[in-house]
Amino acid sequence: MTVNDDVLLVHGGTPLEGEIRVRGAKNLVPKAMVAALLGSAPSRLGNVPDIRDVRVVRGLLQLHGVTVRPGEEPGELVMDPSHVESANVADIDAHAGSSRIPILFCGPLLHRLGHAFIPGLGGCDIGGRPIDFHFEVLRQFGAKIEKRADGQYLEAPQRLRGTKIELPYPSVGATEQVLLTAVLAEGVTELSNAAVEPEIEDLICVLQKMGAIIAMDTDRTIRVTGVDKLGGYRHRALPDRLEAASWASAALATEGNIYVRGAQQRSMMTFLNTYRKVGGAFEIDDEGIRFWHPGGQLNAIALETDVHPGFQTDWQQPLVVALTQATGLSIIHETVYESRLGFTSALNQMGAHIQLYRECLGGSDCRFGQRNFLHSAVVSGPTRLQGADLVIPDLRGGFSYLIAALAAQGTSRVHGIDLINRGYENFLDKLVELGGKVELPGKTLG
């Protein structure tokens, strides 16, 4: 279902119960689609979710001459990059502001065409995610970059060359940029302090299937030996562990019981440990994970987000909603995005007791501690939440507001729900399937 309406009415107080399915990870699928640009033969990607980020990348690929069509199986895409071509600047610019993924087209387009154009970029406003570092990386590979009024124009007068790069922080986006550029660059690229999230490993699997030579060391170092040519790939995307955790938190906050088909234990172990400490229950089988509230009181916890294998920042916001129902004081220390706790002001309007702090309240100091950011929180619970008017600030914060509205007494009006389509496939249909009382004014759901 495509949702154009921007306001959702949520009638809270009903536990979410039933079964939903998560498909391929939002943080892998669009990047694997970009990787298809590097190949000399068609690629097949399975388990693709119907989300806005996928549609954006599909559009950008088609603008550059890549044929994209459905495969034989549901959720499969076949991408043929045989006739890659330059795209019209105005057409590319039409996608500007809807996603940050266009920045990852740079390396593949420089390899295929010798040039690339990147418009201004959007994405969720949860803290600084500077793109300057992406361009600096590309310069180190040998790209020439010219800043223009409508974006950045890049050229590769000669074949890009491997280089040594050390990330100041293990950024997922910067790691993806290096991988997608290094695989066809001449010589060896050594990336230190790389991100090692499961989605990064899955992207490496995709590139290896295409013919890339990539080695991962235990010290966050990735070495890429450039090759002259890559082929296509056939790959099934790993499931979205971030969406699975969001539904798990929804089960906890609403005192519900949700079976998340497709969820996998291995990539969620850190989350599952924390879920159990809070008092949530789960049961794992070969097809998915069942999450439920077992009754009784929930436990307050101390929680610190971190890069993988730590507690993921995208897990934090939905779980904080559940922690408003825990007994005692929970302490949250956000170390990945400096502005990610801003969403809690709306929870306070609903009756939560959440205080933000500039100090590092976790077990260690972090890079935000001396920079005046409200990046720690103390959640006092349990508190009864009341329906309210809510404006969605970002993707995970938006889903968290839905959880809060579903757990609250009374009716909430949630504005800006289209943003949730960026990363949650058919989320309204899933809410209805789980018994959530939601309605789009003037439309029938389910």
Side-chain angles (χ1 to χ4, degrees), residues 68 73 97 100 105 147 155 185 209 234 261 266 268 284 297 319 322 338 407 428 435 438:
V68 184
E73 301 175 7
R100 288 176 180 257
F105 276 72
K147 187 171 184 178
E155 278 189 320
K209 287 177 177 179
R234 191 181 196 112
R261 187 170 296 278
R266 184 179 296 275
M268 296 185 69
I284 301 164
Q297 68 180 30
L319 189 63
E338 66 268 29
L428 285 177
V438 296

Side-chain angles (χ1 to χ4, degrees), residues 73-269:
E73 301 175 7
E76 184 181 52
L77 287 181
V78 180
M79 296 157 285
D80 187 347
S82 302
H83 304 290
V84 174
E85 60 189 18
S86 299
N88 183 283
V89 169
D91 290 337
I92 298 174
D93 200 43
H95 287 78
S98 61
S99 172
R100 288 176 180 257
I101 293 170
I103 191 71
L104 296 178
F105 276 72
C106 291
L109 288 176
L110 288 171
H111 286 304
R112 294 298 305 268
L113 300 174
H115 61 267
F117 171 76
I118 303 300
L121 300 174
C124 291
D125 184 17
I126 53 177
R129 296 193 284 184
I131 62 170
D132 292 348
F133 190 79
H134 287 264
F135 294 127
E136 181 54 39
V137 163
L138 291 161
R139 283 191 186 95
Q140 290 187 50
F141 279 104
K144 307 295 183 186
I145 302 174
E146 177 188 347
K147 187 171 184 178
R148 298 181 178 178
D150 50 358
Q152 305 275 353
Y153 182 76
L154 299 88
E155 278 189 320
Q158 301 172 332
R159 183 180 176 185
L160 298 180
R161 300 177 306 278
T163 184
K164 291 186 74 168
I165 299 168
E166 181 171 1
L167 299 181
Y169 183 79
S171 158
V172 169
T175 300
E176 292 164 342
Q177 183 70 259
V178 172
L179 287 170
L180 290 167
T181 306
V183 285
L184 285 177
E186 184 179 359
V188 176
T189 297
E190 182 180 289
L191 176 63
S192 303
N193 201 29
V196 293
E197 270 68 5
E199 294 81 7
I200 292 287
E201 287 194 346
D202 214 37
L203 179 60
I204 290 173
C205 289
V206 166
L207 294 168
Q208 189 179 58
K209 287 177 177 179
M210 299 176 76
I213 302 172
I214 305 172
M216 292 182 71
D217 291 346
T218 55
D219 62 351
R220 290 187 176 273
T221 299
I222 297 176
R223 288 180 179 82
V224 184
T225 303
V227 297
D228 293 330
K229 185 178 181 181
L230 293 173
Y233 66 79
R234 191 181 196 112
H235 189 76
R236 181 176 175 83
L238 85 169
D240 198 316
R241 65 200 173 105
L242 306 179
E243 182 184 356
S246 295
W247 291 111
S249 294
L252 202 55
T254 65
E255 300 186 3
N257 186 325
I258 301 176
Y259 181 72
V260 183
R261 187 170 296 278
Q264 289 183 353
Q265 176 185 13
R266 184 179 296 275
S267 63
M268 296 185 69
M269 292 179 75

